[in-house]
Amino acid sequence: MDLTFNKNEDHNKLLASDLRRRLAKVKLGGGQKRIDKHHEKGKLTARERIEFLLDKNSKSIEIGAFAGEDMYAEHGGCPSGGVVVKIGYVSKRLCVVVANDATVKAGAWFPITGKKNLRAQEIAIENKLPIIYLVDSAGVYLPMQDEIFPDKEHFGRIFRNNAVMSSMGITQIAAVMGSCVAGGAYLPIMSDEALIVDKTGSIFLAGSYLVKAAIGENIDNETLGGATTHCEISGVTDYKAKDDKDALTKIRSLVDKIGDADAAGFNRKEAAEPKKDPEEIFGILPKARHEQYDMLEIIERLVDDSSFEQYKEGYGQTILTGYARIDGWAVGIVANQRKLVKTKGSKSKPAEMQFGGVIYNDSADKATRFIANCNQKKIPLVFLQDVTGFMVGSKSEHSGIIKDGAKMVNAVSNSVVPKFTIVIGNSYGAGNYAMCGKAYDPRLIASWPSAELAVMSGNSAAKVLLQIETAALKKKGETITPEKEEELFQKIKSKYDNQISPYYAAARIWVDAIINPLDTRTWISIGIEAANNAPIEKQFNMGVLQV
């Protein structure tokens, strides 16, 4: 191993260590004091509930752990968006589990809470997975009601999705394990089956104080909407549980009786570990985002037996395409090659050097054809992003780079096989789109801690913004010294660099998670297993193309 490898390794392992530290903080939710108060009421926390519910020693992945990070500071913050979402096994059946975290503002819904809940439902709908709601929420966070209540993608969309999933035959089970008030009361009752925990669970459209104010009736919350009321008088809920563990055990029993799903039929064989050590990824991946490296070396540490069968290996070399297996699942991989490559010349077309991470005409053409092939053969697609964008300049424009790029975007958009995206490094501009960014419906999208997502790099963007800023100041008659210009540049770059951080993206659920590179195989494998529950119902059709 050389010195560069060691420096890269130190840098990337520090990023992984920082990820673990941040996750540990997020998992405390509203903090230890609130966790202790939760326990004093005889209740488990959201994460403890999920841990008890999921099969022991089984794999699971968490969606949106960093949702809301560094947002809503003026409201005291909203760790993990006030809700925990995991995809994992319940009685050996892959399920989506959504648990309100009552240690965060009593489980109240912030705008990001709504977005995260909708993402959980989207995953369940796309993959036809059973979804389990562990409800413990005070409802909409009133100081921000205008940002969570009335719009299409706000609070009410949750209940609309409940109805749609029911019509699709997707199992929904809800356990009321704490407060469930106002509009939120519809969620468990629009589910297929609802449980309620005695003495701690309650459901009502209006609590006792509001009832007193509205109609003058004196009544306590337990009599108004507790477990006995709804299981023995109103018939609103189906099962009464004595405590959290009893409710979760009942859910496991209910899931155990669900019939088998129709399979999509994706190819899977016995899994094999990569022959090349995945730990070496930390040394291969450069410390600086502009440095070149061989993406093939990364792929060979992610796939079974380190075996990658390249498609059009010598053509369009700034994108790698080919077939492999990940945890036994057959996949088609589309990855940005990050090393400088030299094309093979001819009399009509001389050889040229192509920059790694840039999409050229030939690489866009190759990727388009490969995506079509994977759709033809019903092979899930994995996109490994480290892209700076499409090639610019007169040569590319005259060769029709916009047209070739549009073909690739078209293929990605119309792909009917499930797509999974891992943002390894750069994810800039239209390159993000062509390589299946969030707007292109990947079933799951995760980033490594080394990722950057933005229109362009921080350095490039800062230079552009600096030109605009200095021009405006000069127009006002101000003198811009070199020192002043450098100060402005650093100020602009610092702000922009914060926005291209993967944590900034994860906070807004532009990616589902930030993951340790060593967890990539697990993410893709669980993702494909989830997708295998939903047979493909559409034909691949790219529509009208400029050929």
Side-chain angles (χ1 to χ4, degrees):
M1 299 300 175
D2 60 17
L3 183 60
T4 301
F5 183 98
N6 292 335
K7 286 182 177 179
N8 291 341
E9 184 177 45
D10 290 345
H11 173 75
N12 288 307
K13 285 191 173 181
L14 280 173
L15 291 180
S17 177
D18 182 52
L19 171 62
R20 286 192 295 271
R21 179 186 61 79
R22 286 172 179 253
L23 281 171
K25 182 180 178 182
V26 157
K27 288 178 180 179
L28 288 174
Q32 192 59 50
K33 287 184 179 179
R34 289 179 184 172
I35 290 173
D36 292 341
K37 287 184 178 180
H38 208 67
H39 288 160
E40 286 169 11
K41 296 175 185 177
K43 298 165 70 175
L44 300 174
T45 66
R47 291 183 180 279
E48 289 168 343
R49 287 166 177 167
I50 292 176
E51 183 180 2
F52 187 90
L53 179 64
L54 296 182
D55 295 349
K56 299 295 178 284
N57 302 316
S58 64
K59 291 182 178 180
S60 65
I61 58 176
E62 182 170 352
I63 304 296
F66 291 109
E69 180 164 281
D70 294 331
M71 298 167 67
Y72 316 119
E74 66 276 24
H75 298 280
C78 186
S80 244
V83 62
V84 182
V85 175
K86 286 197 174 185
I87 304 174
Y89 298 89
V90 178
S91 297
K92 298 183 180 179
R93 171 62 68 95
L94 202 57
C95 298
V96 178
V97 184
V98 181
N100 299 114
D101 187 349
T103 70
V104 179
K105 290 286 192 296
W109 287 54
F110 282 67
I112 198 67
T113 316
K115 186 173 184 179
K116 185 170 174 179
N117 274 269
L118 287 170
R119 177 61 178 143
Q121 290 185 321
E122 180 183 36
I123 290 169
I125 290 169
E126 285 182 329
N127 300 291
K128 295 186 177 174
L129 292 180
I131 184 167
I132 299 164
Y133 308 99
L134 307 180
V135 184
D136 194 345
S137 171
V140 166
Y141 182 61
L142 290 177
M144 301 187 76
Q145 64 86 26
D146 62 320
E147 297 182 48
I148 180 61
F149 171 67
D151 208 349
K152 180 179 178 181
E153 300 298 329
H154 283 179
F155 192 57
R157 190 76 171 182
I158 303 295
F159 316 128
R160 176 264 185 194
N161 286 352
N162 288 143
V164 168
M165 282 191 279
S166 183
S167 72
M168 293 174 66
I170 296 171
T171 299
Q172 300 175 83
I173 300 171
V176 179
M177 311 181 84
S179 297
C180 185
V181 300
Y186 288 104
L187 185 147
I189 311 313
M190 293 188 75
S191 298
D192 301 328
E193 295 181 280
L195 304 83
I196 186 169
V197 178
D198 196 21
K199 299 297 186 287
T200 56
S202 58
I203 311 174
F204 32 66
L205 293 180
S208 57
Y209 291 124
L210 186 54
V211 168
K212 172 69 174 175
I215 63 173
E217 180 183 3
N218 284 305
I219 190 168
D220 64 88
N221 283 339
E222 183 63 26
T223 305
L224 180 67
T228 299
T229 294
H230 286 310
C231 285
E232 299 176 20
I233 299 173
S234 73
V236 164
T237 52
D238 305 306
Y239 308 95
K240 179 163 66 172
K242 63 181 180 181
D243 55 26
D244 281 8
K245 290 184 177 180
D246 186 36
L248 297 167
T249 301
K250 171 61 75 174
I251 292 171
R252 289 183 54 80
S253 178
L254 293 172
V255 173
D256 184 53
K257 311 299 189 300
I258 299 173
D260 290 340
D262 294 333
F266 302 126
N267 186 289
R268 192 180 198 184
K269 292 186 175 180
E270 187 176 348
E273 293 297 316
K275 286 182 178 177
K276 294 187 177 181
D277 186 1
E279 287 273 355
E280 292 174 354
I281 288 172
F282 293 112
I284 295 166
L285 193 66
K287 179 178 178 180
R289 292 275 32 90
H290 65 275
E291 291 179 8
Q292 303 278 296
Y293 66 95
D294 189 353
M295 178 63 81
L296 185 60
E297 293 292 328
I298 299 289
I299 293 172
E300 289 175 341
R301 286 158 178 81
L302 294 176
V303 301
D304 292 13
D305 280 327
S306 298
S307 176
F308 180 57
E309 187 178 351
Q310 287 202 56
Y311 170 83
K312 291 185 182 289
E313 182 176 353
Y315 176 72
Q317 295 178 70
T318 63
I319 286 184
L320 297 173
T321 53
Y323 303 104
R325 291 188 182 275
I326 293 179
D327 197 31
W329 294 104
V331 296
I333 294 176
V334 181
N336 302 111
Q337 175 57 286
R338 279 306 311 269
K339 71 175 184 178
L340 197 66
V341 297
K342 186 175 182 179
T343 65
K344 189 172 182 178
S346 66
K347 289 182 180 179
S348 59
K349 190 176 182 181
E352 65 172 334
M353 298 303 296
Q354 293 185 340
F355 297 101
V358 179
I359 302 175
Y360 289 77
N361 299 74
D362 54 358
S363 48
D365 175 68
K366 176 171 90 170
T368 301
R369 179 61 183 267
F370 180 72
I371 290 166
N373 280 349
C374 287
N375 276 271
Q376 181 82 354
K377 297 191 284 187
K378 205 162 72 171
I379 300 174
L381 285 159
V382 175
F383 292 83
L384 303 178
Q385 283 196 12
D386 195 345
V387 58
T388 53
F390 286 88
M391 190 58 189
V392 298
S394 61
K395 184 177 179 181
S396 290
E397 297 293 359
H398 296 170
S399 298
I401 187 65
I402 297 173
K403 181 173 64 176
D404 289 327
K407 290 179 190 176
M408 184 175 173
V409 170
N410 191 312
V412 173
S413 302
N414 287 301
S415 177
V416 297
V417 295
K419 299 167 294 197
F420 303 90
T421 302
I422 306 295
V423 186
I424 289 176
N426 303 324
S427 181
Y428 297 153
N432 170 281
Y433 302 157
M435 291 294 294
C436 197
K438 183 68 180 292
Y440 292 81
D441 299 321
R443 296 293 177 96
L444 294 173
I445 177 170
S447 78
W448 290 359
S450 48
E452 292 184 355
L453 293 85
V455 172
M456 61 182 75
S457 71
N459 203 52
S460 297
K463 287 177 181 177
V464 173
L465 293 169
L466 178 65
Q467 290 176 40
I468 297 169
E469 182 83 8
T470 53
L473 291 172
K474 286 175 181 177
K475 199 171 183 180
K476 293 177 182 178
E478 295 188 30
T479 302
I480 308 297
T481 64
E483 292 76 18
K484 177 69 173 176
E485 188 171 295
E486 177 62 21
E487 182 185 338
L488 279 171
F489 176 80
Q490 292 302 332
K491 183 179 178 182
I492 294 168
K493 187 175 184 300
S494 176
K495 181 181 178 181
Y496 196 89
D497 283 345
N498 177 58
Q499 293 179 355
I500 68 177
S501 160
Y503 292 96
Y504 191 92
R508 290 150 183 82
I509 319 182
W510 299 344
V511 295
D512 291 318
I514 303 172
I515 63 172
N516 187 309
L518 303 182
D519 293 330
T520 304
R521 283 170 54 84
T522 297
W523 265 75
I524 294 171
S525 178
I526 287 179
I528 298 175
E529 183 171 349
N532 203 38
N533 284 274
I536 297 171
E537 297 171 349
K538 291 172 61 180
Q539 290 292 319
F540 177 64
N541 184 343
M542 288 177 61
V544 177
L545 283 175
Q546 295 281 346
V547 295

